[in-house]
Amino acid sequence: MSDDKQRAARAWFEDYALELQAGNRSAIIDRYHPDGAWMVRNGVPKLLSFAELDARYRQPAWQPPIRFEWKDLVLEPAGDGGLLAVGQLLWQVKGASAAELYSYTGLLLLVDGHWRIRLEDENFAESVAI
């Protein structure tokens, strides 16, 4: 991947992190593929439509993290128009005494020149004292 594409991909993930922390629900939802996305949580895969993703992030039960950080994120091209992201994320919710560390794997596809999430696999790794 060229340096310019690598910088653009990293900026995409940095912006995603800021939107998550800000609780910008509309911007978060717009990061997903219009056909929906595979969500794998602790080994359980589920294909969610775009409408289901929209509903998930708009419900009051979803709260933005007070702390979010990508860790050791590796980005590689995946064929023409694909981007593979592998690493970890640190997530802490309001009122929690510790942040939670998750492994992260994402597959993004280009849609009209914009990266859109088609797969997110997040698995709990450990609680991290703050």
Side-chain angles (χ1 to χ4, degrees):
M1 180 181 306
S2 73
D3 288 344
D4 286 344
K5 288 183 180 179
Q6 183 71 226
R7 276 192 293 277
R10 289 215 174 271
W12 188 96
F13 276 93
E14 290 168 11
D15 290 345
Y16 185 27
L18 292 172
E19 291 163 2
L20 286 165
Q21 278 194 270
N24 187 340
R25 295 168 193 263
S26 294
I28 295 165
I29 294 161
D30 285 344
R31 292 197 174 269
Y32 286 92
H33 196 280
D35 292 337
W38 282 96
M39 307 297 279
V40 183
R41 298 294 182 264
N42 298 315
V44 179
K46 185 174 183 182
L47 177 60
L48 298 177
S49 69
F50 189 85
E52 289 171 312
L53 290 163
D54 184 85
R56 175 181 180 207
Y57 284 106
R58 294 202 189 276
Q59 67 180 321
W62 185 86
Q63 293 298 309
I66 60 167
R67 182 177 177 197
F68 182 92
E69 181 182 334
W70 294 110
K71 301 183 80 51
D72 303 321
L73 194 61
V74 176
L75 304 173
E76 292 188 4
D80 290 336
L83 178 67
L84 176 66
V86 178
Q88 295 179 311
L89 63 89
L90 195 65
W91 181 284
Q92 182 181 1
V93 295
K94 185 177 180 179
S97 60
E100 294 180 330
L101 184 67
Y102 292 85
S103 65
Y104 179 84
T105 303
L107 175 65
L108 286 67
L109 302 176
L110 278 175
V111 176
D112 297 329
H114 300 281
W115 292 117
R116 298 293 183 245
I117 301 165
R118 184 65 175 148
L119 165 91
E120 279 190 318
D121 185 334
E122 299 173 359
N123 294 287
F124 178 75
E126 65 181 313
S127 291
V128 180
I130 44 176

